[in-house]
Every structure is written in C-alpha cells, then in structure tokens.
C-alpha cells in the first residue's frame, strides 16, 4: 500500500526516550485524508525497546510498524527502513526528539511548497536543567547539540560555516531521491553508543552534488530533549573524540606519504600545533579557548582512528592472504596432518 509519508525513527537502547518520541508522533494533528505511518527501526537494542513499541502501537492501531536491524550503525538502520518504507515522503527524526504537533502535516507538503527534493527545519532545545552561560554563548557548542533556530526560510547550500543547515533530527526527503543515492553512507553515523556523526550532512552534500534541491523551512519544527549530562564539558570532549574517530574510518587518505603507525606524518605535526595553541589560549583564559581545545580533541580522535583503521586493514590483508583449510593444497594439508 502506498502512503504519503513514512516517519522513520532509528533507535538503539534508548527505550525511555523513544517512548516520548512516539507519544509526540501519535499525538500529531494531521488531515484525515493524509495517509502516513511511523516506522521504528530497532538497531540491535537489548533493552526494552520492543516492549515500548508494542505498548505504543496499541495506542494507535495500524499506525506503527517495527523493523529489527541487527547490524549496528544508524546509517544501516536508516537504509533498512528505507527499503521497506511505504511513503513517497520520508520524514526522519531521532529517538530523543519530540516533533511539534503539525510536523507530519508540514512534512507532507513542504517539499511541494518549496519545490525541492529535501528539506529540514528548526531544532529547538528542551533543556532538562538550565544550561550554563558558557554553553549558551557559543554557537559552535549549540551546533554540537544539534540546535538549529533560524526563523527565515532559505535554499541550500549556504556558505560554509553559515546557517541555517539541515540536520538529522529534522529531515524530509522524497523517497525516490534517497533511493537514487543508494541511501546513507554506512561508514558514517553513530554506531551503538559511539557518537560517530555526519551521515546527515553527507546525505545533504550528495543530494546537492547530484543536482537535487534542498531547503530550510522554519515551519518544520521539532524539540530536541537535552539531558543534564550533555551540559558538561566532558560530554563535548567525548563527542568530538568520537566524531574525529568516525571521520578517520570514513575518510580516504592519499596513497603516498610517510606514515607512522598507519598515520601520515603531517597529522602528528598538526596535532602538536593545535595542542600548543589550545594550551596557550587556556592558560590565558581567552574567549573561545574551550572550543579550540575541542578542535584538538577531534584531531586526536582522528589520529587514533587512523591507527585503529591501519591495524584493522592489516588484519584483513593478513586474513585474505592466509589460505583456509578448504582451499589449501592436498600436499600442504597432508603435511599438516
């Protein structure tokens, strides 16, 4: 059966958060004529995710569907959902997000209204506790929390480092446009509890590179729940480390160049410069010093990720070059006996 909209939520071991997201989706105010569904893609959860789904599904019979994707990785989960989604429009949000009551209705019309293949909108915070001033005063840190609050529509792309942008907590696409790109890059995005990122930014870049049009529309609004734990500096350090490590596994380095432990030498020099610069700014307590230190953490995470990738690739090469018992020659098999 063909529907107008499939709302897709990928989730991993966050049953209590998922419940709130599904509650907000069930309470959507939509025209009676609008056919739409909620597709929960369970990405290898071992908590009570399935029980939460069953409970919520009873509150809206026929609205919710469930898919289990055992291979960890948000991008894998999204691609698995895309393969079975019935909507011509795919609306994406996260399991720690509560969409505004008109979000689905807006998602059903925004692409035609703007004449685009993809769109995103506002991601407003719902703070668990009052955030500290050092966080509220930093656009970079608010970006790390996926807060996107701009009240004017815009066509993408916007200049690098400028706003607004389209991010994964609030994205809408024509299904055929996603399928034409073979979905999301499985090398990118969160994997289990690791906060690897950029699967959303990557799909936007590839949409634009393919000649597809994208827009930002503030009428498309969701609320991102921000817990107390994410209002601490330690959270941002861990996030940036994970982002850097994730980039290392997804990036393609030039084939030539001097390396140490699988890492190009210039990366070590860059890391040393960033560390020295950040340390000096911290000692002087200069504005933006914390953000500079996060850049250093990300570079360190990237460097460590490249070391891990080199080890992994070496093991794979060794395994590929080692004959299995089934393929070994009879003479060598006889010698082993």
């Amino acid at each position: 059966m063909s529907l107008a909209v499939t709302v897709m939520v990928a989730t991993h071991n966050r049953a209590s958060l998922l419940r709130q997201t599904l509650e907000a989706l069930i309470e959507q105010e939509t025209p009676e004529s609008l056919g739409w569904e909620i597709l929960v893609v369970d990405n290898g959860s071992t908590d009570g995710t399935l029980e939460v789904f069953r409970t919520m599904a009873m509150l809206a019979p026929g609205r919710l569907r469930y898919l289990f994707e055992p291979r960890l990785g948000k991008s894998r989960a999204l691609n698995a959902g895309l393969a079975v989604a019935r909507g011509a429009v795919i609306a994406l949000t996260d399991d720690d997000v509560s969409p505004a009551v008109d979000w689905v209705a807006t998602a059903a019309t925004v692409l035609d209204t703007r004449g685009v293949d993809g769109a995103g909108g506002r991601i407003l915070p719902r703070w668990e506790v009052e955030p500290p001033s050092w966080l509220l005063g930093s656009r970079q840190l608010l970006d790390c929390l996926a807060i996107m609050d701009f009240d004017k529509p815009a066509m993408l792309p916007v200049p690098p480092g400028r706003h607004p942008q389209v991010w994964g907590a609030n994205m809408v696409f024509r299904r055929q446009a996603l399928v034409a790109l073979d979905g999301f890059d499985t090398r990118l995005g969160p994997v289990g509890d690791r906060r690897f990122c950029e699967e959303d930014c990557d799909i936007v870049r590839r949409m634009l590179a393919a000649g597809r049009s994208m827009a930002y529309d503030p009428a498309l609004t969701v609320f991102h729940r921000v817990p107390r734990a994410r209002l601490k500096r330690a959270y941002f350090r861990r996030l940036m480390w994970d982002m850097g490590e994730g980039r290392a596994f997804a990036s393609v380095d030039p084939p030539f160049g001097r390396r140490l432990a699988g890492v190009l030498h210039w990366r070590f020099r860059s890391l040393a410069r960033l560390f020295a610069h950040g340390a000096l700014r911290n000692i002087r307590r200069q504005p933006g010093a914390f953000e500079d230190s996060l850049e250093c953490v990300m570079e360190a995470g990237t460097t460590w990720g490249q070391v891990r990738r080199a080890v992994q690739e070496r093991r794979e090469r060794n395994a590929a070059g080692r004959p299995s018992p089934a393929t070994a020659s009879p003479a060598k098999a006889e010698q082993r006996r």
Side-chain angles (χ1 to χ4, degrees), residues 179-235:
V179 171
L181 292 179
D182 294 324
F184 292 82
D185 189 336
T186 56
R187 299 172 301 170
L188 300 171
V191 177
D193 296 326
R194 301 303 302 275
R195 302 299 300 170
F196 303 150
C197 299
E198 297 197 359
E199 83 289 345
D200 49 356
C201 298
D202 173 74
I203 199 71
V204 170
R205 285 193 294 265
R206 288 194 287 133
M207 280 279 177
L208 295 173
R212 304 270 184 178
S213 52
M214 302 238 3
Y216 171 90
D217 192 325
L220 202 64
T221 301
V222 301
F223 299 92
H224 184 200
R225 302 186 295 273
V226 186
R228 182 193 303 265
R230 294 190 180 185
L231 306 182
K232 299 179 180 179
R233 287 183 169 88
Y235 168 78

Side-chain angles (χ1 to χ4, degrees), residues 31-257:
E32 291 186 7
S33 60
L34 180 65
W36 65 284
E37 65 177 353
I38 303 167
L39 177 59
V40 175
V41 187
D42 183 347
N43 191 208
S45 297
T46 56
D47 63 354
T49 293
L50 180 55
E51 287 73 19
V52 166
F53 169 81
R54 286 171 173 164
T55 299
M56 302 308 295
M58 289 189 293
L59 299 179
R63 179 76 70 197
L64 279 73
R65 297 169 63 206
Y66 176 88
L67 176 67
F68 188 79
E69 170 51 66
R71 299 171 299 169
L72 287 184
K74 181 181 178 182
S75 290
R76 292 185 186 278
L78 293 176
N79 289 343
L82 181 62
V84 302
R86 298 180 295 188
V89 170
I90 305 296
L92 301 172
T93 192
D94 291 335
D95 57 8
D96 58 355
V97 167
S98 295
V101 294
D102 63 347
W103 184 70
V104 170
T106 304
T109 61
V110 66
L111 300 180
D112 288 338
T113 299
R114 296 290 171 189
V116 294
D117 295 300
R122 293 194 297 175
I123 306 172
L124 305 179
R126 279 188 176 168
W127 310 106
E128 184 179 277
V129 297
E130 186 68 22
S133 57
W134 57 264
L135 171 56
L136 290 177
S138 171
R139 182 69 254 174
Q140 180 180 338
L141 298 182
L142 292 174
D143 285 355
C144 289
L145 293 175
I147 306 304
M148 182 63 57
D149 184 10
F150 292 85
D151 57 5
K152 293 182 180 180
M155 292 295 295
L156 272 60
V158 295
R162 298 286 298 278
H163 294 78
Q165 302 289 348
V166 172
W167 289 340
N170 189 4
M171 305 178 87
V172 179
F173 295 100
R174 299 188 194 276
R175 183 180 183 278
Q176 53 92 6
L178 285 176
V179 171
L181 292 179
D182 294 324
F184 292 82
D185 189 336
T186 56
R187 299 172 301 170
L188 300 171
V191 177
D193 296 326
R194 301 303 302 275
R195 302 299 300 170
F196 303 150
C197 299
E198 297 197 359
E199 83 289 345
D200 49 356
C201 298
D202 173 74
I203 199 71
V204 170
R205 285 193 294 265
R206 288 194 287 133
M207 280 279 177
L208 295 173
R212 304 270 184 178
S213 52
M214 302 238 3
Y216 171 90
D217 192 325
L220 202 64
T221 301
V222 301
F223 299 92
H224 184 200
R225 302 186 295 273
V226 186
R228 182 193 303 265
R230 294 190 180 185
L231 306 182
K232 299 179 180 179
R233 287 183 169 88
Y235 168 78
F236 291 98
R237 295 188 185 101
R238 176 59 188 270
L239 175 66
M240 300 305 282
W241 178 279
D242 282 358
M243 287 178 63
E245 191 173 340
R247 284 182 176 179
F249 278 94
S251 64
V252 178
D253 272 341
F256 303 108

